[in-house]
Amino acid sequence: MSRGHGGPYAVLTVLTLVTMITMYVEAMVVPSLPHIQSALNATNEEAAWVISAYMVVGAAVAPLFGKMGDVYGKKKLYVASLAFYSAAVLAAGFAPNIQSLIAARALQGFGFTLFPLGLAIITDTFPRRLVAVAQGIQSAMVAIGMTVGMIAGAYIEEYLGWRYMFHIAFGLSIIMFIAALLVLGDYPPVRREKIDYVSTVLLSGGTALVLLYLTEAPYKGWVSPLQLSFLSPGIALYAAFLAYEARSPRTLISLKLLRIRNVVVANAAGLVSGVAMFMLYLGVIYYAEEAPPYGLGLSVISAALSLLPATLAMIVIAPLIGQVTTSLGPKPALVYGSIISTAGFMALALYRPGPLQLALDSFIAGVGVVSILIPIVNMIAMSMPPDSVTVGLGFNTMVRFLGSAAGPVIAATIMTTYKAFVPYALAGMYYFFTEGSSTAFNYIFLTGAAFSLLALVISIFTKNYVIRGRDGEAIAAL
């Protein structure tokens, strides 16, 4: 076990700050997207790809970088990913056109591998009895970074311009790159082996094509020939991966490991919680900004601030859920998180009269969602063999990214299906514009509740364990 050059808590500080910065960058783009589109003369579809490019690449390469971390050393891959990410952020800030910006954003997708690599480093750094708490703190940084990014991004774009969002993020990422070099330990690989790039291409290619299908479906149609040209080969590549894995002794990740009971539960729960998390964020932001009588008509900054109480609470809740996972096991934490998340979404669906109630309801749902995410990563870390922990976390990240990609698609589909016509008076004339109706927001939050209930059902199948003993052995709990 390597504690790092500055001690375990210095390592945790670096990892959590890097996670917060990367998620801050992704969230800050959202409120500024219309301004970026206008400045670079981009179409709506091109503007959407400023966000989607990161997601497609990040999900596709997460398992590969996890495997490379297991094989070549976690620090090497972490520092290399952070350097690559920093360079891509710098390029985005100076992008001369929309195509260059999309390319830079795609390269930033390699930075999402920092999250599973960081979780694996935590597993190597802390005693097992403290791993869940530390992983919980880092997991909470995902939601915190997103909220900070939406708020800070709106301010920076308004007063300095969208390019400064990337310039500032580049400066922060360089600081963290230097800190990572100085603080992180060596974390040598457990076992040297060759990486099977055939299975890597099959799994990553299938994931990228499925994400392309999900991203474009609301705009191009679910069954259009173009969309099916993404989905069909994507499914075929997944099938080829399964067939190849059955006869190859050294694929990227063994299906034998993926069939471990708690790994199955963690990946299934990760998929549905990814959907729920983005239904929460998008539903709250859309509703807060939507014009009355169907929304609250808040500004971009005020809408982002409605998520701030939930974000701040996660700083306190995350370590507590980590401690519950250690002392009582992941199953009680998953059940608790699923129930609380369901209650929060139901409150959002049934009663959201003003900003204060919206913030309270989103606080409840947010606490529930983060309480699901924390035991998930601990179950992967505790269930996988030591030489496969990072690739297992990378695969789980990929699965959660698929859920995260499906969340906005479901929300967009509901918003376009249940529309309302709102009159606006301009120069003495009335014009009608389509807006998301109250029914649309009800269904968005009810869908979040349904996925939270599905997480509850999945959590029942968890094989519970507790961490006991001086060395933190995992002991199955009856």
Side-chain angles (χ1 to χ4, degrees), residues 117-180:
L117 285 168
L119 291 171
I121 289 173
I122 286 174
T123 305
D124 287 352
T125 302
F126 283 83
R128 298 189 92 182
R129 66 183 184 278
L130 298 177
V131 165
V133 176
Q135 288 175 336
I137 294 172
Q138 190 189 357
S139 297
M141 288 297 135
V142 174
I144 293 169
M146 289 180 66
T147 303
V148 171
M150 283 188 285
I151 297 171
Y155 276 105
I156 293 171
E157 196 283 328
E158 181 176 351
Y159 294 107
L160 298 175
W162 68 268
R163 292 186 184 276
Y164 277 88
M165 296 189 307
F166 291 105
H167 297 334
I168 293 171
F170 171 72
L172 294 174
S173 63
I174 288 299
I175 293 173
M176 297 317 303
F177 173 77
I178 296 171

Side-chain angles (χ1 to χ4, degrees), residues 96-356:
N97 51 52
I98 192 65
Q99 291 78 18
S100 301
L101 181 58
I102 292 172
R105 291 284 298 153
L107 293 177
Q108 286 177 35
F110 287 89
F112 198 78
T113 60
L114 292 165
F115 181 67
L117 285 168
L119 291 171
I121 289 173
I122 286 174
T123 305
D124 287 352
T125 302
F126 283 83
R128 298 189 92 182
R129 66 183 184 278
L130 298 177
V131 165
V133 176
Q135 288 175 336
I137 294 172
Q138 190 189 357
S139 297
M141 288 297 135
V142 174
I144 293 169
M146 289 180 66
T147 303
V148 171
M150 283 188 285
I151 297 171
Y155 276 105
I156 293 171
E157 196 283 328
E158 181 176 351
Y159 294 107
L160 298 175
W162 68 268
R163 292 186 184 276
Y164 277 88
M165 296 189 307
F166 291 105
H167 297 334
I168 293 171
F170 171 72
L172 294 174
S173 63
I174 288 299
I175 293 173
M176 297 317 303
F177 173 77
I178 296 171
L181 281 175
L182 296 176
V183 173
L184 299 185
D186 294 328
Y187 313 104
V190 178
R191 183 180 66 184
R192 295 274 186 182
E193 62 177 288
K194 292 182 178 180
I195 296 176
D196 188 306
Y197 289 102
V198 174
S199 60
T200 300
V201 170
L202 293 175
L203 181 61
S204 299
T207 300
L209 289 171
V210 170
L211 281 171
L212 284 171
Y213 170 79
L214 289 173
T215 301
E216 292 290 299
Y219 310 102
K220 300 292 181 59
W222 293 93
V223 293
S224 68
L226 178 61
Q227 285 303 101
L228 293 178
S229 71
F230 292 137
L231 180 62
S232 299
I235 294 175
L237 286 176
Y238 278 146
F241 171 78
L242 296 175
Y244 181 83
E245 196 280 339
R247 60 182 181 85
S248 176
R250 56 178 185 86
T251 51
L252 180 67
I253 185 168
S254 171
L255 291 184
K256 181 179 179 180
L257 297 178
L258 294 179
R259 286 193 289 263
I260 296 173
R261 180 171 167 180
N262 275 6
V263 174
V264 174
V265 170
N267 286 329
L271 180 67
V272 300
S273 64
V275 177
M277 183 171 70
F278 271 80
M279 298 298 281
L280 172 64
Y281 271 87
L282 293 177
V284 170
I285 293 296
Y286 283 169
Y287 178 74
E289 294 184 25
E290 193 70 87
Y294 304 108
L296 300 180
L298 302 180
S299 67
V300 173
I301 296 174
S302 297
L305 286 172
S306 65
L307 288 168
L308 189 59
T311 303
L312 295 176
M314 289 175 188
I315 300 175
V316 178
I317 294 296
L320 295 178
I321 296 299
Q323 188 58 52
V324 169
T325 302
T326 299
S327 57
L328 300 181
K331 189 171 185 176
L334 277 174
V335 170
Y336 165 82
S338 301
I339 293 173
I340 297 299
S341 178
T342 303
F345 276 112
M346 290 302 298
L348 284 165
L350 298 175
Y351 188 67
R352 49 179 193 274
L356 181 60

